């Protein structure tokens, strides 16, 4: 894994390591960003994080909790898509917090134990390409002593799964399935 360390809103000076991916998508940026914000439908397209639960949010739309800054999320993460579902390839990650949400970017942060042990923040950014399509960029930067272990054990796998997520998003958005 040779990605440069990239800062995030909560880790402005960068951390120990970053995993990142991107995709050029032949769909309007607002369509792709709407897919990213529709966490209930990640199961339809996201092979890396097929399940997101909003467990707490400062915003509700009458039908349920809404993704917003300060919302708390739980994820089901699939680390090995080629292996049938098992304890070893699916991990539940609880207590992620949305740290940034604007018209083209959403970020969430997680801690392992405490922020002194490990913090990771993921950024998902959608940029209009000026020609009717967009560029999707995502990265997650890790810091803290336990980040060394995560990098050693999962670094290459995380990098591959981030690219899988970008490719999944591209396929889903371009297929028009979400409409």
């Amino acid at each position: 894994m040779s990605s440069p360390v990239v800062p995030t809103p909560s880790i402005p000076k960068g951390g120990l390591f970053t995993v990142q991916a991107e995709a050029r998508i032949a769909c309007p940026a607002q369509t792709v960003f709407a897919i990213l914000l529709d966490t209930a439908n990640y199961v339809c397209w996201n092979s890396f994080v097929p399940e997101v639960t909003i467990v707490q949010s400062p915003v509700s739309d009458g039908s349920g909790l809404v993704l917003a800054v300060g919302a708390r999320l739980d994820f089901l993460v699939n680390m090995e898509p080629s292996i049938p579902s098992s304890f070893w390839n699916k991990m539940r990650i609880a207590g992620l917090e949305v740290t940034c949400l604007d018209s083209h970017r959403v970020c969430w942060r997680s801690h392992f134990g405490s922020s002194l042990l490990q913090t990771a923040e993921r950024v998902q950014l959608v940029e209009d390409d000026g020609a009717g399509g967009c560029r999707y960029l995502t990265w997650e930067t890790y810091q803290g002593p336990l980040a060394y272990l995560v990098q050693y054990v999962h670094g290459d796998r995380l990098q591959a799964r981030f690219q899988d997520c970008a490719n999944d998003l591209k396929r889903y958005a371009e297929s028009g399935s979400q409409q």
Side-chain angles (χ1 to χ4, degrees), residues 98-156:
V98 177
T99 57
C100 176
L101 177 59
D102 55 34
S103 63
H104 64 285
R105 178 179 63 163
V106 62
C107 309
W108 44 70
R109 173 181 56 213
S110 65
H111 301 291
F112 184 80
S114 92
S115 61
L116 296 175
L117 294 175
Q118 178 192 296
T119 298
E121 186 169 33
R122 181 165 184 183
V123 176
Q124 296 188 88
L125 176 67
V126 181
E127 299 176 327
D128 189 310
D129 68 7
C134 64
R135 179 176 168 214
Y136 168 69
L137 300 157
T138 185
W139 66 93
E140 188 164 53
T141 297
Y142 294 77
Q143 72 175 8
L146 287 180
Y148 289 96
L149 181 62
V150 171
Q151 182 180 31
Y152 179 75
V153 173
H154 295 294
D156 290 337

